[in-house]
Amino acid sequence: MKIGFIGTGVMGNSIGRHLLEGGHELSVFTRTAKKAEDLLEQGASWKNNPKELAADAEVIFTMVGYPTDVKEIYFGENGLLANAAEGTVLIDLTTSQPKLAQEISEAAQAKGLHALDAPVSGGDIGAKNAVLSVMVGGEEDIFNRLLPLFRLFAGNIILQGPAGSGQHTKMCNQINIANNMLGVCESLIYAKKAGLDPENVLRSISAGAAGSWSLSNLAPKMIEGDFRPGFYVKHFIKDMKIAVEESERWGLDLPGLKLSLGIYEELERAGDGDLGTQALIRHFDFMEK
């Protein structure tokens, strides 16, 4: 298939590579051209803007930072909706607002296009190893038709319901992680204060009932002081804010989510927004003697 991809960042680069390795033609556009160099070397072609990319693609994936970026790419005279050929499938992998996903789907249908909201979970590790979880909202027949593409970079792909359902499911994912990350950090700082070897503690608790993806994959990075981003603090803050907005719209109070959001916002104000989410441990002065 002729596939377009917009947003070749931490995860997008690996996803694009898997699509190329699957034998598909890939054209790419990203605002920072340097981030696409690896894919171009592997055979992808460069497009200068979304309009140019839309002119030559049967399926278009987008994976950008914020809902404002999604709006810019999809809407307007130079956007995907105005320039994609009839029948094109637009798949947004960005974690964004459920309402925006619904708006894109409605606009796509009006133009003879198809749209899926398909945010992912698993970070840079999941993307590299092609084992991401994908939460999809949209038409069932289009989802089934595109499953072979999803399987090139994901291991867990589930249609959650109509447009917007993928984004709502990702909010459930982020709420769980927000609370879990606090638990991971608190357990490590407790281990240190008790005079234990944190790595030994991890070997014990990660294999038991406390086990989680964050404990197994991010806690070792916390111990090592490795804060390189698999997923940015600033993007996690964006996700948590969306979840808070949605829950408050229903009159639902989620105190754990709000607590985690507040601490991450402190990190961002301290200049740590471009670090990985495991930088949360810095709030607890874990690296101090």
Side-chain angles (χ1 to χ4, degrees):
M1 298 184 74
K2 291 184 176 181
I3 300 173
F5 203 106
I6 297 177
T8 56
V10 174
M11 286 190 278
N13 198 287
S14 291
I15 294 171
R17 174 171 55 81
H18 294 310
L19 293 171
L20 279 170
E21 291 172 349
H24 300 283
E25 294 181 39
L26 186 70
S27 58
V28 298
F29 168 72
T30 184
R31 284 185 295 192
T32 306
K34 185 175 178 61
K35 292 182 178 180
E37 287 179 354
D38 289 348
L39 291 175
L40 296 176
E41 290 173 1
Q42 293 171 54
S45 61
W46 173 259
K47 301 297 181 180
N48 292 305
N49 49 57
K51 180 178 180 179
E52 187 177 313
L53 183 140
D56 190 37
E58 301 166 79
V59 176
I60 301 173
F61 288 95
T62 57
M63 195 173 201
V64 292
Y66 298 90
T68 51
D69 300 318
V70 174
K71 290 177 183 177
E72 181 181 343
I73 288 167
Y74 278 84
F75 294 96
E77 63 181 40
N78 294 314
L80 297 178
L81 289 164
N83 295 284
E86 185 175 350
T88 300
V89 181
L90 308 173
I91 305 173
D92 189 22
L93 304 176
T94 312
T95 299
S96 184
Q97 297 162 322
K99 182 179 179 181
L100 178 56
Q102 293 166 349
E103 291 173 358
I104 290 172
S105 177
E106 291 168 3
Q109 289 179 18
K111 293 180 176 292
L113 309 172
H114 305 281
L116 299 175
D117 51 289
V120 304
S121 181
D124 60 331
I125 297 170
K128 287 175 184 176
N129 296 327
V131 294
L132 290 169
S133 288
V134 187
M135 306 148 228
V136 187
E139 304 165 72
E140 186 174 5
D141 59 333
I142 301 301
F143 168 78
N144 290 331
R145 177 149 59 93
L146 272 292
L147 260 178
L149 287 186
F150 285 121
R151 286 175 177 148
L152 292 174
F153 60 85
N156 182 32
I157 312 139
I158 298 177
L159 179 66
Q160 296 291 339
S165 299
Q167 296 296 352
H168 277 306
T169 304
K170 183 60 184 290
M171 291 304 105
C172 296
N173 185 84
Q174 301 306 73
I175 291 166
N176 188 290
I177 291 174
N179 285 278
N180 185 229
M181 286 293 283
L182 281 176
V184 170
C185 291
E186 290 182 351
S187 67
L188 287 180
I189 196 67
Y190 183 97
K192 184 174 180 181
K193 293 298 184 183
L196 302 173
D197 180 342
E199 292 182 358
N200 265 345
V201 171
L202 272 188
R203 288 209 294 270
S204 288
I205 69 175
S206 61
S212 69
W213 190 95
S214 296
L215 192 67
S216 296
N217 291 280
L218 297 182
K221 292 185 177 183
M222 292 177 182
I223 293 171
E224 295 167 7
D226 177 2
F227 303 125
R228 290 173 297 175
F231 186 55
Y232 289 107
V233 164
K234 61 186 180 183
H235 290 163
F236 194 33
I237 289 172
K238 173 262 299 182
D239 296 353
M240 287 187 283
K241 284 182 174 179
I242 293 172
V244 168
E245 289 169 3
E246 291 296 318
S247 61
E248 288 184 341
R249 187 165 59 85
W250 303 320
L252 178 63
D253 183 36
L254 300 176
L257 171 63
K258 291 178 180 177
L259 175 60
S260 185
L261 172 59
I263 296 174
Y264 270 107
E265 287 178 321
E266 288 181 22
L267 286 178
E268 186 174 47
R269 286 193 292 271
D272 291 341
D274 287 322
L275 298 181
T277 52
Q278 67 273 22
L280 182 64
I281 196 70
R282 289 162 70 98
H283 175 78
F284 297 88
D285 294 326
F286 179 77
M287 306 307 294
E288 296 294 326
K289 298 294 184 183

